[in-house]
Amino acid sequence: MLSGFKKFLMRGNVVELAIAVVIGAAFTAIVNSFVKDILTPLIAAIGGQPDFSGLTLRIGAGEIRYGLFLNALIAFLMVAAVIYFLVVRPYEKISARFAAREEATHRECPECLSEIPSAAVRCAQCTASVTPVR
């Protein structure tokens, strides 16, 4: 029974998922600190008010605290912007750079449409003569 559990835990996807959760939690702390400690004070310096939690609307005996919603919305937008501009965009640029370097090593035969090496002068499947791509 324990050997099956050990095999389950040592599977690659379980270990990778555990690592991803730990790294994700650490990265979340970094992004939240960046937003809370750097961006929010900058917005406060520009806009004059860093915290909207005091904004409320009274309706009868009830109280709608829309300021808390505004705080959460602004924090979400700032976190999304940080993720997009500091993670997604650089990752896309790096991925595009590496993808451009990869050259096609195979192509289709014009006669039988099988996959042949780019430098081939004859198709291995149908023996048709093809022009090599260099």
Side-chain angles (χ1 to χ4, degrees):
M1 182 165 77
L2 289 178
S3 67
F5 183 66
K6 181 180 174 185
K7 285 180 185 176
F8 169 74
L9 287 179
M10 297 311 290
R11 270 202 240 157
N13 54 356
V14 173
V15 174
E16 289 170 2
L17 180 61
I19 292 170
V21 168
V22 170
I23 296 294
F27 187 71
T28 299
I30 291 170
V31 170
N32 286 337
S33 176
F34 181 74
V35 168
K36 184 178 123 189
D37 301 329
I38 296 174
L39 290 182
T40 302
L42 284 175
I43 290 174
I46 295 169
Q49 188 173 5
D51 185 22
F52 300 105
S53 60
L55 300 176
T56 60
L57 177 65
R58 292 194 184 274
I59 299 178
E63 181 179 57
I64 299 173
R65 294 181 232 152
Y66 68 93
L68 294 173
F69 174 74
L70 286 176
N71 280 346
L73 180 64
I74 291 169
F76 170 77
L77 291 174
M78 287 192 296
V79 167
V82 167
I83 295 291
Y84 181 74
F85 290 111
L86 297 181
V87 176
V88 174
R89 292 285 296 168
Y91 177 77
E92 287 175 347
K93 288 186 179 195
I94 289 170
S95 295
R97 187 176 296 170
F98 283 119
R101 290 182 184 169
E102 294 177 12
E103 294 181 24
T105 59
H106 287 77
R107 62 187 169 121
E108 280 187 345
C109 171
E111 297 294 323
C112 68
L113 302 178
S114 64
E115 189 175 277
I116 60 174
S118 297
V121 293
R122 189 166 297 276
C123 176
Q125 302 296 318
C126 68
T127 68
S129 182
V130 294
T131 306
V133 177
R134 307 236 184 232

